[in-house]
Amino acid sequence: MQNSLSPFLIPERVELLSGEGGLPCLRLTGDGGRATVYLHGAHVTEFLPDGQAPVLWMSRASHFAPGKPIRGGIPICWPWFGPHSADAARPAHGIARLREWSVLDSAVLHDGRVRLRLSFQPEGPETDIVPPTLRAEMTLTVGRSLELQLCTINDGPDPVVFEDALHSYFAVGDLSAVSVHGLEDTVYADSLDKRRSKVQQGPIRFTAETDRVYADPAPRTEIVDETGACRIRIEKSGSSKTVVWNPWIAKSKAMPDFGDDEWTGMCCVETANVRDGRVTLLPANRHETRLRISLV
Ligand code: TA6
């Protein structure tokens, strides 16, 4: 592994580590902050602005194994979201987060941020459900902020319909003191109430299991954590939906890779194109879903 990645390593900027479960990961150290990304799923598990607490939440019970999703950080849901629409036996949230991605290039930018590009292309048995001409590229750029750009490319002769989501898990001090702003008066589908359409009244506060898909072209959402006295700003483009999720008590206990008491320390605000917001990609076209995370 070391040899194949050597061309992309940059001393003190892009470093290869043996991560959890012995999985290879790269630590990106930009001016102002660092990030850690596993080749498994191109999965960002850490974003640490200088002098600040970790912005992303990770479960202490997470799996770190081929074929299993990592719990926490920023899973890449691609090329479908949730259960597969035609085959319930397929893995939830697609295949990209279960496979090893390849590194395309790395660089230190003129402003001291560090950029890494990775790619994924379905192969073998997966191509019976995902066209082999559909591929994904992820560009990570880290400094005081963390930017992700998930690009889906259709190299085939036919249109392809896909979903994507940057399923971000954010660390909070105490969920009872957290509110999510920017989605006020937005219509959402309540996944816990037969996907009934509702309208968000005021900021989102968590008082029970929460699983909502907001019809949200708004470019900015903020998580206000009154315990940590911080605001996490989530800016996006190329995304028509925002998914908000907290498993609460029962669902946390039901997930083997999620600690029973961990639900109070996290919330998901996900940058997505899902359900009636799925994307139809014409031949030779590409779609870019962009996310920028920063502390304000
Ligand atoms: O984003 C919300 C959601 O779709 C929830 O319904 C829940 O399933 C969550 O994703 C986690 O999914 P996972 O397959 O990672 O356990």
Side-chain angles (χ1 to χ4, degrees), residues 114-150:
V114 169
R115 189 192 68 203
L116 180 76
R117 291 198 313 136
L118 307 102
S119 69
F120 171 72
Q121 184 140 25
E123 58 185 19
E126 296 159 352
T127 57
D128 71 341
I129 201 161
V130 182
T133 51
L134 190 71
R135 61 189 168 91
E137 289 185 5
M138 168 60 78
T139 303
L140 300 172
T141 309
V142 62
R144 290 196 59 76
S145 64
L146 173 63
E147 296 181 17
L148 285 78
Q149 178 183 331
L150 175 61

PDB file of all heavy atoms in Angstrom, residues 114-150:
ATOM      1  N   VAL A 114      -4.644  22.021   2.093  1.00  0.00           N
ATOM      2  CA  VAL A 114      -4.186  20.782   1.456  1.00  0.00           C
ATOM      3  C   VAL A 114      -5.365  20.153   0.716  1.00  0.00           C
ATOM      4  O   VAL A 114      -6.486  20.115   1.232  1.00  0.00           O
ATOM      5  CB  VAL A 114      -3.613  19.809   2.504  1.00  0.00           C
ATOM      6  CG1 VAL A 114      -3.371  18.424   1.920  1.00  0.00           C
ATOM      7  CG2 VAL A 114      -2.303  20.366   3.070  1.00  0.00           C
ATOM      8  N   ARG A 115      -5.098  19.706  -0.500  1.00  0.00           N
ATOM      9  CA  ARG A 115      -6.145  19.106  -1.334  1.00  0.00           C
ATOM     10  C   ARG A 115      -5.771  17.686  -1.715  1.00  0.00           C
ATOM     11  O   ARG A 115      -4.610  17.387  -2.003  1.00  0.00           O
ATOM     12  CB  ARG A 115      -6.334  19.923  -2.616  1.00  0.00           C
ATOM     13  CG  ARG A 115      -7.555  19.490  -3.449  1.00  0.00           C
ATOM     14  CD  ARG A 115      -7.533  20.125  -4.820  1.00  0.00           C
ATOM     15  NE  ARG A 115      -6.417  19.575  -5.603  1.00  0.00           N
ATOM     16  CZ  ARG A 115      -5.880  20.213  -6.630  1.00  0.00           C
ATOM     17  NH1 ARG A 115      -6.305  21.422  -6.973  1.00  0.00           N
ATOM     18  NH2 ARG A 115      -4.896  19.646  -7.311  1.00  0.00           N
ATOM     19  N   LEU A 116      -6.779  16.810  -1.640  1.00  0.00           N
ATOM     20  CA  LEU A 116      -6.597  15.408  -2.028  1.00  0.00           C
ATOM     21  C   LEU A 116      -7.771  15.016  -2.917  1.00  0.00           C
ATOM     22  O   LEU A 116      -8.925  15.361  -2.618  1.00  0.00           O
ATOM     23  CB  LEU A 116      -6.574  14.510  -0.788  1.00  0.00           C
ATOM     24  CG  LEU A 116      -6.379  13.015  -1.017  1.00  0.00           C
ATOM     25  CD1 LEU A 116      -4.916  12.711  -1.350  1.00  0.00           C
ATOM     26  CD2 LEU A 116      -6.821  12.210   0.200  1.00  0.00           C
ATOM     27  N   ARG A 117      -7.484  14.311  -3.995  1.00  0.00           N
ATOM     28  CA  ARG A 117      -8.556  13.820  -4.865  1.00  0.00           C
ATOM     29  C   ARG A 117      -8.526  12.307  -4.905  1.00  0.00           C
ATOM     30  O   ARG A 117      -7.446  11.697  -5.007  1.00  0.00           O
ATOM     31  CB  ARG A 117      -8.405  14.378  -6.280  1.00  0.00           C
ATOM     32  CG  ARG A 117      -8.678  15.874  -6.388  1.00  0.00           C
ATOM     33  CD  ARG A 117      -8.943  16.307  -7.830  1.00  0.00           C
ATOM     34  NE  ARG A 117      -7.962  15.754  -8.739  1.00  0.00           N
ATOM     35  CZ  ARG A 117      -8.260  15.200  -9.928  1.00  0.00           C
ATOM     36  NH1 ARG A 117      -9.517  15.113 -10.302  1.00  0.00           N
ATOM     37  NH2 ARG A 117      -7.316  14.740 -10.722  1.00  0.00           N
ATOM     38  N   LEU A 118      -9.714  11.716  -4.799  1.00  0.00           N
ATOM     39  CA  LEU A 118      -9.857  10.260  -4.842  1.00  0.00           C
ATOM     40  C   LEU A 118     -10.931   9.889  -5.850  1.00  0.00           C
ATOM     41  O   LEU A 118     -11.785  10.716  -6.207  1.00  0.00           O
ATOM     42  CB  LEU A 118     -10.250   9.702  -3.464  1.00  0.00           C
ATOM     43  CG  LEU A 118      -9.370  10.093  -2.265  1.00  0.00           C
ATOM     44  CD1 LEU A 118     -10.061  11.183  -1.449  1.00  0.00           C
ATOM     45  CD2 LEU A 118      -9.096   8.873  -1.390  1.00  0.00           C
ATOM     46  N   SER A 119     -10.892   8.630  -6.295  1.00  0.00           N
ATOM     47  CA  SER A 119     -11.901   8.201  -7.270  1.00  0.00           C
ATOM     48  C   SER A 119     -12.399   6.791  -6.955  1.00  0.00           C
ATOM     49  O   SER A 119     -11.701   5.995  -6.305  1.00  0.00           O
ATOM     50  CB  SER A 119     -11.319   8.226  -8.695  1.00  0.00           C
ATOM     51  OG  SER A 119     -10.337   7.206  -8.819  1.00  0.00           O
ATOM     52  N   PHE A 120     -13.616   6.521  -7.440  1.00  0.00           N
ATOM     53  CA  PHE A 120     -14.238   5.202  -7.271  1.00  0.00           C
ATOM     54  C   PHE A 120     -14.988   4.831  -8.540  1.00  0.00           C
ATOM     55  O   PHE A 120     -15.712   5.663  -9.103  1.00  0.00           O
ATOM     56  CB  PHE A 120     -15.215   5.214  -6.087  1.00  0.00           C
ATOM     57  CG  PHE A 120     -16.045   3.956  -5.991  1.00  0.00           C
ATOM     58  CD1 PHE A 120     -15.475   2.760  -5.578  1.00  0.00           C
ATOM     59  CD2 PHE A 120     -17.383   3.956  -6.353  1.00  0.00           C
ATOM     60  CE1 PHE A 120     -16.223   1.600  -5.508  1.00  0.00           C
ATOM     61  CE2 PHE A 120     -18.142   2.803  -6.281  1.00  0.00           C
ATOM     62  CZ  PHE A 120     -17.557   1.626  -5.862  1.00  0.00           C
ATOM     63  N   GLN A 121     -14.816   3.605  -8.958  1.00  0.00           N
ATOM     64  CA  GLN A 121     -15.573   3.106 -10.114  1.00  0.00           C
ATOM     65  C   GLN A 121     -16.089   1.707  -9.799  1.00  0.00           C
ATOM     66  O   GLN A 121     -15.332   0.841  -9.359  1.00  0.00           O
ATOM     67  CB  GLN A 121     -14.664   3.027 -11.350  1.00  0.00           C
ATOM     68  CG  GLN A 121     -15.404   2.602 -12.625  1.00  0.00           C
ATOM     69  CD  GLN A 121     -14.927   3.383 -13.834  1.00  0.00           C
ATOM     70  OE1 GLN A 121     -13.798   3.877 -13.862  1.00  0.00           O
ATOM     71  NE2 GLN A 121     -15.806   3.525 -14.821  1.00  0.00           N
ATOM     72  N   PRO A 122     -17.406   1.481  -9.974  1.00  0.00           N
ATOM     73  CA  PRO A 122     -17.967   0.159  -9.697  1.00  0.00           C
ATOM     74  C   PRO A 122     -17.264  -0.891 -10.554  1.00  0.00           C
ATOM     75  O   PRO A 122     -16.859  -0.609 -11.684  1.00  0.00           O
ATOM     76  CB  PRO A 122     -19.428   0.293 -10.086  1.00  0.00           C
ATOM     77  CG  PRO A 122     -19.709   1.759 -10.111  1.00  0.00           C
ATOM     78  CD  PRO A 122     -18.417   2.413 -10.472  1.00  0.00           C
ATOM     79  N   GLU A 123     -17.160  -2.101 -10.001  1.00  0.00           N
ATOM     80  CA  GLU A 123     -16.538  -3.176 -10.790  1.00  0.00           C
ATOM     81  C   GLU A 123     -17.142  -4.512 -10.383  1.00  0.00           C
ATOM     82  O   GLU A 123     -17.823  -4.611  -9.360  1.00  0.00           O
ATOM     83  CB  GLU A 123     -15.021  -3.180 -10.575  1.00  0.00           C
ATOM     84  CG  GLU A 123     -14.635  -3.350  -9.127  1.00  0.00           C
ATOM     85  CD  GLU A 123     -13.124  -3.225  -8.886  1.00  0.00           C
ATOM     86  OE1 GLU A 123     -12.417  -2.662  -9.746  1.00  0.00           O
ATOM     87  OE2 GLU A 123     -12.685  -3.690  -7.824  1.00  0.00           O
ATOM     88  N   GLY A 124     -16.898  -5.511 -11.219  1.00  0.00           N
ATOM     89  CA  GLY A 124     -17.323  -6.874 -10.886  1.00  0.00           C
ATOM     90  C   GLY A 124     -18.821  -6.964 -10.651  1.00  0.00           C
ATOM     91  O   GLY A 124     -19.618  -6.343 -11.364  1.00  0.00           O
ATOM     92  N   PRO A 125     -19.231  -7.695  -9.604  1.00  0.00           N
ATOM     93  CA  PRO A 125     -20.665  -7.983  -9.404  1.00  0.00           C
ATOM     94  C   PRO A 125     -21.517  -6.722  -9.218  1.00  0.00           C
ATOM     95  O   PRO A 125     -22.711  -6.716  -9.500  1.00  0.00           O
ATOM     96  CB  PRO A 125     -20.683  -8.866  -8.148  1.00  0.00           C
ATOM     97  CG  PRO A 125     -19.369  -8.693  -7.497  1.00  0.00           C
ATOM     98  CD  PRO A 125     -18.404  -8.335  -8.570  1.00  0.00           C
ATOM     99  N   GLU A 126     -20.862  -5.632  -8.771  1.00  0.00           N
ATOM    100  CA  GLU A 126     -21.640  -4.408  -8.551  1.00  0.00           C
ATOM    101  C   GLU A 126     -22.216  -3.861  -9.859  1.00  0.00           C
ATOM    102  O   GLU A 126     -23.189  -3.129  -9.876  1.00  0.00           O
ATOM    103  CB  GLU A 126     -20.747  -3.328  -7.928  1.00  0.00           C
ATOM    104  CG  GLU A 126     -20.244  -3.711  -6.575  1.00  0.00           C
ATOM    105  CD  GLU A 126     -18.991  -2.933  -6.184  1.00  0.00           C
ATOM    106  OE1 GLU A 126     -18.424  -2.205  -7.032  1.00  0.00           O
ATOM    107  OE2 GLU A 126     -18.605  -3.050  -5.016  1.00  0.00           O
ATOM    108  N   THR A 127     -21.569  -4.219 -10.979  1.00  0.00           N
ATOM    109  CA  THR A 127     -21.998  -3.601 -12.243  1.00  0.00           C
ATOM    110  C   THR A 127     -23.322  -4.185 -12.736  1.00  0.00           C
ATOM    111  O   THR A 127     -23.868  -3.737 -13.744  1.00  0.00           O
ATOM    112  CB  THR A 127     -20.908  -3.791 -13.316  1.00  0.00           C
ATOM    113  OG1 THR A 127     -20.662  -5.198 -13.463  1.00  0.00           O
ATOM    114  CG2 THR A 127     -19.636  -3.070 -12.917  1.00  0.00           C
ATOM    115  N   ASP A 128     -23.842  -5.157 -11.979  1.00  0.00           N
ATOM    116  CA  ASP A 128     -25.193  -5.623 -12.381  1.00  0.00           C
ATOM    117  C   ASP A 128     -26.257  -4.657 -11.863  1.00  0.00           C
ATOM    118  O   ASP A 128     -27.411  -4.706 -12.277  1.00  0.00           O
ATOM    119  CB  ASP A 128     -25.458  -7.038 -11.853  1.00  0.00           C
ATOM    120  CG  ASP A 128     -25.650  -7.042 -10.332  1.00  0.00           C
ATOM    121  OD1 ASP A 128     -25.218  -6.058  -9.690  1.00  0.00           O
ATOM    122  OD2 ASP A 128     -26.239  -8.002  -9.804  1.00  0.00           O
ATOM    123  N   ILE A 129     -25.834  -3.758 -10.973  1.00  0.00           N
ATOM    124  CA  ILE A 129     -26.833  -2.798 -10.461  1.00  0.00           C
ATOM    125  C   ILE A 129     -26.367  -1.350 -10.616  1.00  0.00           C
ATOM    126  O   ILE A 129     -27.164  -0.425 -10.578  1.00  0.00           O
ATOM    127  CB  ILE A 129     -27.148  -3.113  -8.972  1.00  0.00           C
ATOM    128  CG1 ILE A 129     -28.499  -2.505  -8.573  1.00  0.00           C
ATOM    129  CG2 ILE A 129     -26.049  -2.628  -8.037  1.00  0.00           C
ATOM    130  CD1 ILE A 129     -29.101  -3.111  -7.352  1.00  0.00           C
ATOM    131  N   VAL A 130     -25.061  -1.157 -10.799  1.00  0.00           N
ATOM    132  CA  VAL A 130     -24.536   0.197 -11.041  1.00  0.00           C
ATOM    133  C   VAL A 130     -23.757   0.166 -12.361  1.00  0.00           C
ATOM    134  O   VAL A 130     -22.831  -0.626 -12.499  1.00  0.00           O
ATOM    135  CB  VAL A 130     -23.587   0.656  -9.913  1.00  0.00           C
ATOM    136  CG1 VAL A 130     -23.107   2.089 -10.166  1.00  0.00           C
ATOM    137  CG2 VAL A 130     -24.270   0.566  -8.552  1.00  0.00           C
ATOM    138  N   PRO A 131     -24.135   0.988 -13.333  1.00  0.00           N
ATOM    139  CA  PRO A 131     -23.422   0.953 -14.622  1.00  0.00           C
ATOM    140  C   PRO A 131     -21.917   1.169 -14.424  1.00  0.00           C
ATOM    141  O   PRO A 131     -21.524   2.093 -13.690  1.00  0.00           O
ATOM    142  CB  PRO A 131     -24.042   2.116 -15.401  1.00  0.00           C
ATOM    143  CG  PRO A 131     -25.316   2.452 -14.706  1.00  0.00           C
ATOM    144  CD  PRO A 131     -25.161   2.043 -13.291  1.00  0.00           C
ATOM    145  N   PRO A 132     -21.067   0.350 -15.034  1.00  0.00           N
ATOM    146  CA  PRO A 132     -19.610   0.526 -14.879  1.00  0.00           C
ATOM    147  C   PRO A 132     -19.120   1.837 -15.486  1.00  0.00           C
ATOM    148  O   PRO A 132     -17.998   2.257 -15.260  1.00  0.00           O
ATOM    149  CB  PRO A 132     -19.025  -0.682 -15.626  1.00  0.00           C
ATOM    150  CG  PRO A 132     -20.080  -1.112 -16.578  1.00  0.00           C
ATOM    151  CD  PRO A 132     -21.402  -0.763 -15.929  1.00  0.00           C
ATOM    152  N   THR A 133     -20.020   2.487 -16.251  1.00  0.00           N
ATOM    153  CA  THR A 133     -19.622   3.771 -16.858  1.00  0.00           C
ATOM    154  C   THR A 133     -19.974   4.953 -15.951  1.00  0.00           C
ATOM    155  O   THR A 133     -19.793   6.108 -16.337  1.00  0.00           O
ATOM    156  CB  THR A 133     -20.354   3.944 -18.206  1.00  0.00           C
ATOM    157  OG1 THR A 133     -21.762   3.729 -17.975  1.00  0.00           O
ATOM    158  CG2 THR A 133     -19.837   2.943 -19.225  1.00  0.00           C
ATOM    159  N   LEU A 134     -20.503   4.637 -14.759  1.00  0.00           N
ATOM    160  CA  LEU A 134     -20.771   5.700 -13.783  1.00  0.00           C
ATOM    161  C   LEU A 134     -19.646   5.685 -12.756  1.00  0.00           C
ATOM    162  O   LEU A 134     -19.301   4.622 -12.249  1.00  0.00           O
ATOM    163  CB  LEU A 134     -22.112   5.460 -13.076  1.00  0.00           C
ATOM    164  CG  LEU A 134     -22.640   6.596 -12.204  1.00  0.00           C
ATOM    165  CD1 LEU A 134     -23.110   7.772 -13.062  1.00  0.00           C
ATOM    166  CD2 LEU A 134     -23.782   6.100 -11.309  1.00  0.00           C
ATOM    167  N   ARG A 135     -19.033   6.825 -12.511  1.00  0.00           N
ATOM    168  CA  ARG A 135     -17.937   6.844 -11.543  1.00  0.00           C
ATOM    169  C   ARG A 135     -18.037   8.098 -10.685  1.00  0.00           C
ATOM    170  O   ARG A 135     -18.789   9.024 -10.995  1.00  0.00           O
ATOM    171  CB  ARG A 135     -16.577   6.774 -12.249  1.00  0.00           C
ATOM    172  CG  ARG A 135     -16.278   7.912 -13.197  1.00  0.00           C
ATOM    173  CD  ARG A 135     -14.993   7.621 -14.000  1.00  0.00           C
ATOM    174  NE  ARG A 135     -14.858   8.563 -15.110  1.00  0.00           N
ATOM    175  CZ  ARG A 135     -14.197   9.735 -15.020  1.00  0.00           C
ATOM    176  NH1 ARG A 135     -13.626  10.083 -13.863  1.00  0.00           N
ATOM    177  NH2 ARG A 135     -14.122  10.540 -16.073  1.00  0.00           N
ATOM    178  N   ALA A 136     -17.279   8.062  -9.586  1.00  0.00           N
ATOM    179  CA  ALA A 136     -17.323   9.174  -8.629  1.00  0.00           C
ATOM    180  C   ALA A 136     -15.907   9.656  -8.344  1.00  0.00           C
ATOM    181  O   ALA A 136     -14.951   8.869  -8.343  1.00  0.00           O
ATOM    182  CB  ALA A 136     -17.987   8.733  -7.331  1.00  0.00           C
ATOM    183  N   GLU A 137     -15.787  10.951  -8.123  1.00  0.00           N
ATOM    184  CA  GLU A 137     -14.529  11.533  -7.647  1.00  0.00           C
ATOM    185  C   GLU A 137     -14.837  12.387  -6.425  1.00  0.00           C
ATOM    186  O   GLU A 137     -15.879  13.052  -6.378  1.00  0.00           O
ATOM    187  CB  GLU A 137     -13.865  12.387  -8.730  1.00  0.00           C
ATOM    188  CG  GLU A 137     -13.294  11.589  -9.883  1.00  0.00           C
ATOM    189  CD  GLU A 137     -12.544  12.466 -10.887  1.00  0.00           C
ATOM    190  OE1 GLU A 137     -12.394  13.684 -10.626  1.00  0.00           O
ATOM    191  OE2 GLU A 137     -12.132  11.938 -11.933  1.00  0.00           O
ATOM    192  N   MET A 138     -13.943  12.325  -5.444  1.00  0.00           N
ATOM    193  CA  MET A 138     -14.093  13.142  -4.245  1.00  0.00           C
ATOM    194  C   MET A 138     -12.860  14.031  -4.126  1.00  0.00           C
ATOM    195  O   MET A 138     -11.734  13.540  -4.187  1.00  0.00           O
ATOM    196  CB  MET A 138     -14.216  12.254  -3.001  1.00  0.00           C
ATOM    197  CG  MET A 138     -14.098  12.991  -1.671  1.00  0.00           C
ATOM    198  SD  MET A 138     -15.336  14.265  -1.438  1.00  0.00           S
ATOM    199  CE  MET A 138     -16.726  13.236  -0.984  1.00  0.00           C
ATOM    200  N   THR A 139     -13.103  15.330  -3.988  1.00  0.00           N
ATOM    201  CA  THR A 139     -12.015  16.274  -3.739  1.00  0.00           C
ATOM    202  C   THR A 139     -12.171  16.839  -2.335  1.00  0.00           C
ATOM    203  O   THR A 139     -13.234  17.378  -2.005  1.00  0.00           O
ATOM    204  CB  THR A 139     -12.024  17.420  -4.764  1.00  0.00           C
ATOM    205  OG1 THR A 139     -11.930  16.877  -6.086  1.00  0.00           O
ATOM    206  CG2 THR A 139     -10.848  18.368  -4.532  1.00  0.00           C
ATOM    207  N   LEU A 140     -11.152  16.632  -1.511  1.00  0.00           N
ATOM    208  CA  LEU A 140     -11.136  17.160  -0.149  1.00  0.00           C
ATOM    209  C   LEU A 140     -10.149  18.312  -0.087  1.00  0.00           C
ATOM    210  O   LEU A 140      -9.037  18.209  -0.620  1.00  0.00           O
ATOM    211  CB  LEU A 140     -10.662  16.080   0.834  1.00  0.00           C
ATOM    212  CG  LEU A 140     -11.471  14.795   0.940  1.00  0.00           C
ATOM    213  CD1 LEU A 140     -10.732  13.785   1.809  1.00  0.00           C
ATOM    214  CD2 LEU A 140     -12.843  15.082   1.492  1.00  0.00           C
ATOM    215  N   THR A 141     -10.553  19.411   0.545  1.00  0.00           N
ATOM    216  CA  THR A 141      -9.646  20.541   0.737  1.00  0.00           C
ATOM    217  C   THR A 141      -9.759  20.995   2.185  1.00  0.00           C
ATOM    218  O   THR A 141     -10.870  21.282   2.648  1.00  0.00           O
ATOM    219  CB  THR A 141     -10.004  21.710  -0.205  1.00  0.00           C
ATOM    220  OG1 THR A 141     -10.120  21.221  -1.544  1.00  0.00           O
ATOM    221  CG2 THR A 141      -8.934  22.802  -0.153  1.00  0.00           C
ATOM    222  N   VAL A 142      -8.626  20.973   2.908  1.00  0.00           N
ATOM    223  CA  VAL A 142      -8.716  21.270   4.342  1.00  0.00           C
ATOM    224  C   VAL A 142      -7.735  22.378   4.733  1.00  0.00           C
ATOM    225  O   VAL A 142      -6.598  22.437   4.244  1.00  0.00           O
ATOM    226  CB  VAL A 142      -8.444  20.007   5.205  1.00  0.00           C
ATOM    227  CG1 VAL A 142      -7.064  19.449   5.001  1.00  0.00           C
ATOM    228  CG2 VAL A 142      -8.704  20.304   6.674  1.00  0.00           C
ATOM    229  N   GLY A 143      -8.230  23.249   5.580  1.00  0.00           N
ATOM    230  CA  GLY A 143      -7.477  24.330   6.233  1.00  0.00           C
ATOM    231  C   GLY A 143      -8.320  24.721   7.431  1.00  0.00           C
ATOM    232  O   GLY A 143      -8.727  23.833   8.204  1.00  0.00           O
ATOM    233  N   ARG A 144      -8.675  25.989   7.554  1.00  0.00           N
ATOM    234  CA  ARG A 144      -9.582  26.360   8.656  1.00  0.00           C
ATOM    235  C   ARG A 144     -10.987  25.801   8.412  1.00  0.00           C
ATOM    236  O   ARG A 144     -11.794  25.660   9.337  1.00  0.00           O
ATOM    237  CB  ARG A 144      -9.655  27.877   8.802  1.00  0.00           C
ATOM    238  CG  ARG A 144      -8.361  28.509   9.343  1.00  0.00           C
ATOM    239  CD  ARG A 144      -8.594  29.908   9.826  1.00  0.00           C
ATOM    240  NE  ARG A 144      -9.616  29.948  10.903  1.00  0.00           N
ATOM    241  CZ  ARG A 144      -9.384  29.579  12.166  1.00  0.00           C
ATOM    242  NH1 ARG A 144      -8.198  29.084  12.498  1.00  0.00           N
ATOM    243  NH2 ARG A 144     -10.341  29.653  13.078  1.00  0.00           N
ATOM    244  N   SER A 145     -11.283  25.515   7.173  1.00  0.00           N
ATOM    245  CA  SER A 145     -12.568  24.873   6.844  1.00  0.00           C
ATOM    246  C   SER A 145     -12.272  23.545   6.154  1.00  0.00           C
ATOM    247  O   SER A 145     -11.123  23.259   5.779  1.00  0.00           O
ATOM    248  CB  SER A 145     -13.388  25.779   5.914  1.00  0.00           C
ATOM    249  OG  SER A 145     -12.684  25.935   4.675  1.00  0.00           O
ATOM    250  N   LEU A 146     -13.340  22.751   6.001  1.00  0.00           N
ATOM    251  CA  LEU A 146     -13.225  21.473   5.285  1.00  0.00           C
ATOM    252  C   LEU A 146     -14.194  21.511   4.118  1.00  0.00           C
ATOM    253  O   LEU A 146     -15.397  21.789   4.321  1.00  0.00           O
ATOM    254  CB  LEU A 146     -13.583  20.313   6.207  1.00  0.00           C
ATOM    255  CG  LEU A 146     -13.664  18.927   5.557  1.00  0.00           C
ATOM    256  CD1 LEU A 146     -12.308  18.489   4.994  1.00  0.00           C
ATOM    257  CD2 LEU A 146     -14.205  17.897   6.534  1.00  0.00           C
ATOM    258  N   GLU A 147     -13.694  21.306   2.958  1.00  0.00           N
ATOM    259  CA  GLU A 147     -14.541  21.306   1.757  1.00  0.00           C
ATOM    260  C   GLU A 147     -14.524  19.927   1.115  1.00  0.00           C
ATOM    261  O   GLU A 147     -13.462  19.303   0.982  1.00  0.00           O
ATOM    262  CB  GLU A 147     -14.057  22.374   0.766  1.00  0.00           C
ATOM    263  CG  GLU A 147     -14.180  23.791   1.285  1.00  0.00           C
ATOM    264  CD  GLU A 147     -13.717  24.841   0.275  1.00  0.00           C
ATOM    265  OE1 GLU A 147     -13.609  24.484  -0.915  1.00  0.00           O
ATOM    266  OE2 GLU A 147     -13.467  25.979   0.692  1.00  0.00           O
ATOM    267  N   LEU A 148     -15.710  19.478   0.742  1.00  0.00           N
ATOM    268  CA  LEU A 148     -15.849  18.209   0.013  1.00  0.00           C
ATOM    269  C   LEU A 148     -16.580  18.510  -1.278  1.00  0.00           C
ATOM    270  O   LEU A 148     -17.562  19.253  -1.290  1.00  0.00           O
ATOM    271  CB  LEU A 148     -16.650  17.178   0.804  1.00  0.00           C
ATOM    272  CG  LEU A 148     -15.970  16.480   1.991  1.00  0.00           C
ATOM    273  CD1 LEU A 148     -15.950  17.394   3.212  1.00  0.00           C
ATOM    274  CD2 LEU A 148     -16.690  15.174   2.332  1.00  0.00           C
ATOM    275  N   GLN A 149     -16.096  17.935  -2.338  1.00  0.00           N
ATOM    276  CA  GLN A 149     -16.756  18.057  -3.641  1.00  0.00           C
ATOM    277  C   GLN A 149     -16.914  16.648  -4.194  1.00  0.00           C
ATOM    278  O   GLN A 149     -15.908  15.988  -4.508  1.00  0.00           O
ATOM    279  CB  GLN A 149     -15.898  18.918  -4.573  1.00  0.00           C
ATOM    280  CG  GLN A 149     -16.445  19.086  -5.966  1.00  0.00           C
ATOM    281  CD  GLN A 149     -15.483  19.890  -6.832  1.00  0.00           C
ATOM    282  OE1 GLN A 149     -14.739  20.733  -6.339  1.00  0.00           O
ATOM    283  NE2 GLN A 149     -15.474  19.607  -8.122  1.00  0.00           N
ATOM    284  N   LEU A 150     -18.160  16.161  -4.198  1.00  0.00           N
ATOM    285  CA  LEU A 150     -18.434  14.821  -4.715  1.00  0.00           C
ATOM    286  C   LEU A 150     -18.936  14.968  -6.143  1.00  0.00           C
ATOM    287  O   LEU A 150     -19.990  15.565  -6.376  1.00  0.00           O
ATOM    288  CB  LEU A 150     -19.480  14.115  -3.854  1.00  0.00           C
ATOM    289  CG  LEU A 150     -19.938  12.744  -4.350  1.00  0.00           C
ATOM    290  CD1 LEU A 150     -18.772  11.751  -4.420  1.00  0.00           C
ATOM    291  CD2 LEU A 150     -21.054  12.204  -3.453  1.00  0.00           C
TER     292      LEU A 150
END
